[in-house]
Amino acid sequence: MPNLSFEQIKDKFDRCVIGNYARNQVAFVHGEGSHVWDSAGDRYVDLMPGWGTTTIGHCHPHVVSAIQRQAGRLMHIDNSFYNIPQGVLAEHLSGRSFGGKCFFCNSGSEAIETSLKLSRLWGEKKGRFEIVTMNESFHGRTFGAISATGQEKYHRGYLPLLPGIKHVPFNDLDALKKTVGPNTCAVLMEPVQGEGGINVAGVEYMKAVRKFCDEQEILLIFDEVQTGVGRTCEWFGYQNYGIEPDIMVLAKALGGGFPVGAVVAEPEVSSFLAPGTHAATFGGNPLACAAAIAVLEVIEKENLLEEGRMVSQVTFERLEQMARKYNIIRQVRGMGLMIGIELEVNGKDIFEYCLQNKLRINCTQNNVLRLLPALNVPIDVLHAGLDVLESGIQKGGGAQI
Ligand SMILES: Cc1ncc(COP(=O)(O)O)c(C=O)c1O
């Protein structure tokens, strides 16, 4: 790839790339661990790697060499044949979760679509087709996924949406009970809402939802696109709750930056995806699966769930200290390394201050700063990032209490 200046890169985007993203005025060219470098050679601390995809840091050498090896062996083979990496990855996911069977695709939205289609196939004979999802949820950008997403701003301009989807308030069992009816086939929810502002489902609520779905004989689907593969310092977010879903949806961290999506479904439910019902040309492609296997191996061999718990504790302690110090912090919340800092003010200025001072974070729902650091971010790098964040909060109007 040629070395280009930011202006040269931007010029290509301005002329040839559709402008559907509000891009910051930086181009990144290199990443290593919890650091990324821009086109001018400046180094940034990355506490929001790839919108939560690189939970083991950028360009982990084990993942890089697994991709290189597989690329030289067999990059792609279609799903009318078997291949080794897809089988091995499915075994890893099944064994680490609830013994389900896997379908592979390329993104979170596509995996959500699969889970919606699977629930409809499962419910068809009983005449059940309705899917209940949560307000403030985020499930992706395809038509089924935006229909499932409980935020009106993502629906604008796209009406009519997919019929048969109802939304209820999150963490509200009574509302769910009132909405589920004889036509309902599934409840879809994130254990921790990410884009919706880091809203954590309560333990009792989750257990009651599971019990209620069992009583009603409907499927419980967990969208673990953001919470899955170590993000909450368990393999999957639901493992913090002592219950299991019938269907789990994965993407983001699964490929460590390589595009991979997956649906894991309880074996009896999975049988409804019979030949001819659903497919993805690239799904379960050997290269993508080799990357995902390498990610899981790194998390296991380097004991990263344990390391993540330690990083999480250090991060929460530091942020809670800040919350005691600065009056614009309303609440610090989250689970594992999925962390939100809710502000009294819009977070845009703090976000921009951080970026100018070489720290990558995110701001969602206007006033929630979101951190999704790598499980293995070194503590000194973490503190360097949090030092920038703290001065951003101070400058953003956070008067000392
Ligand atoms: C919980 C959740 N579900 C689904 C998606 C959609 O994933 P993708 O952007 O890979 O389609 C996202 C993306 O942010 C997500 O956070």
Side-chain angles (χ1 to χ4, degrees):
M1 215 48 71
N3 268 334
L4 299 176
S5 69
F6 174 71
E7 287 67 31
Q8 289 170 316
I9 300 168
K10 184 171 171 352
D11 171 61
K12 292 185 192 308
F13 274 67
D14 289 346
R15 286 185 295 106
C16 307
V17 177
I18 291 178
N20 60 308
Y21 297 104
R23 294 182 196 268
N24 298 292
Q25 299 304 294
V26 180
F28 287 112
V29 294
H30 170 58
E32 205 180 303
S34 285
H35 284 119
V36 275
W37 284 259
D38 70 13
S39 50
D42 287 336
R43 190 180 77 170
Y44 294 63
V45 171
D46 195 353
L47 299 185
M48 183 69 192
W51 285 347
T53 55
T54 29
T55 32
I56 59 171
H58 291 280
C59 298
H60 191 291
H62 185 63
V63 180
V64 172
S65 63
I67 292 173
Q68 283 170 339
R69 243 180 295 123
Q70 188 61 43
R73 200 162 183 218
L74 181 67
M75 245 190 252
H76 183 77
I77 193 79
D78 51 275
N79 277 307
S80 37
F81 297 92
Y82 294 89
N83 73 70
I84 298 172
Q86 188 176 148
V88 172
L89 177 58
E91 194 174 37
H92 272 288
L93 293 178
S94 182
R96 288 192 168 86
S97 59
F98 48 92
K101 289 184 146 187
C102 302
F103 169 85
F104 293 103
C105 51
N106 312 288
S107 68
S109 301
E110 208 184 335
I112 286 290
E113 291 294 326
T114 306
S115 74
L116 300 177
K117 286 177 75 179
L118 175 55
S119 329
R120 289 248 167 119
L121 286 175
W122 179 85
E124 196 190 15
K125 279 209 186 89
K126 300 168 195 154
R128 295 177 155 208
F129 58 90
E130 257 171 26
I131 295 159
V132 180
T133 79
M134 305 292 153
N135 290 349
E136 271 74 62
S137 58
F138 183 79
H139 298 295
R141 300 295 197 134
T142 54
F143 252 107
I146 56 167
S147 306
T149 293
Q151 299 188 60
E152 202 257 329
K153 67 181 178 200
Y154 293 112
H155 301 164
R156 257 173 245 149
Y158 294 117
L159 301 180
L161 299 178
L162 183 71
I165 298 192
K166 292 183 170 170
H167 300 105
V168 294
F170 190 55
N171 268 327
D172 184 340
L173 186 65
D174 287 341
L176 182 69
K177 285 186 170 174
K178 278 185 198 133
T179 306
V180 165
N183 294 333
T184 309
C185 64
V187 172
L188 164 66
M189 60 183 290
E190 299 153 85
V192 180
Q193 293 185 329
E195 197 275 345
I198 310 290
N199 308 314
V200 183
V203 176
E204 291 316 311
Y205 167 72
M206 285 287 260
K207 288 193 163 145
V209 171
R210 177 67 276 181
K211 186 164 171 279
F212 178 63
C213 289
D214 287 341
E215 286 162 3
Q216 300 298 309
E217 296 183 9
I218 55 178
L219 300 177
L220 179 55
I221 309 169
F222 285 155
D223 178 346
E224 295 250 12
V225 169
Q226 204 162 134
T227 49
V229 197
R231 175 53 59 206
T232 69
C233 303
E234 292 289 346
W235 281 107
F236 307 107
Y238 77 80
Q239 291 168 335
N240 294 285
Y241 292 93
I243 53 162
E244 288 177 351
D246 301 297
I247 302 176
M248 169 170 74
V249 178
L250 299 171
K252 284 201 190 278
L254 182 55
F258 203 95
V260 198
V263 170
V264 186
E266 192 274 315
E268 192 265 320
V269 175
S270 73
S271 66
F272 285 79
L273 276 190
T277 54
H278 192 55
T281 297
F282 288 120
N285 150 314
L287 192 56
C289 291
I293 294 164
V295 169
L296 301 177
E297 285 171 349
V298 168
I299 294 177
E300 185 144 287
K301 287 195 184 131
E302 298 185 7
N303 211 8
L304 293 191
L305 297 179
E306 196 51 46
E307 186 168 339
R309 283 179 205 120
M310 183 273 292
V311 174
S312 168
Q313 194 182 338
V314 172
T315 312
F316 272 99
E317 278 168 10
R318 176 87 194 264
L319 294 176
E320 275 151 13
Q321 248 173 34
M322 286 189 213
R324 288 193 288 276
K325 218 158 139 191
Y326 303 107
N327 62 359
I328 59 166
I329 300 181
R330 195 181 283 164
Q331 193 186 33
V332 175
R333 57 176 180 257
M335 186 182 270
L337 284 169
M338 195 168 170
I339 301 168
I341 307 155
E342 186 177 328
L343 304 171
E344 296 285 350
V345 296
N346 191 303
K348 191 167 173 285
D349 291 347
I350 297 174
F351 166 82
E352 269 164 16
Y353 173 90
C354 290
L355 195 61
Q356 273 159 20
N357 288 280
K358 317 296 176 217
L359 170 65
R360 278 212 58 205
I361 58 166
N362 170 255
C363 179
T364 187
Q365 301 294 323
N366 296 324
N367 70 334
V368 182
L369 301 177
R370 179 167 46 156
L371 309 182
L372 300 175
L375 298 168
N376 53 4
V377 53
I379 294 300
D380 58 331
V381 175
L382 174 75
H383 279 303
L386 295 178
D387 287 345
V388 174
L389 177 64
E390 182 161 357
S391 33
I393 286 171
Q394 222 169 358
K395 293 205 163 50
Q400 300 232 2
I401 296 170

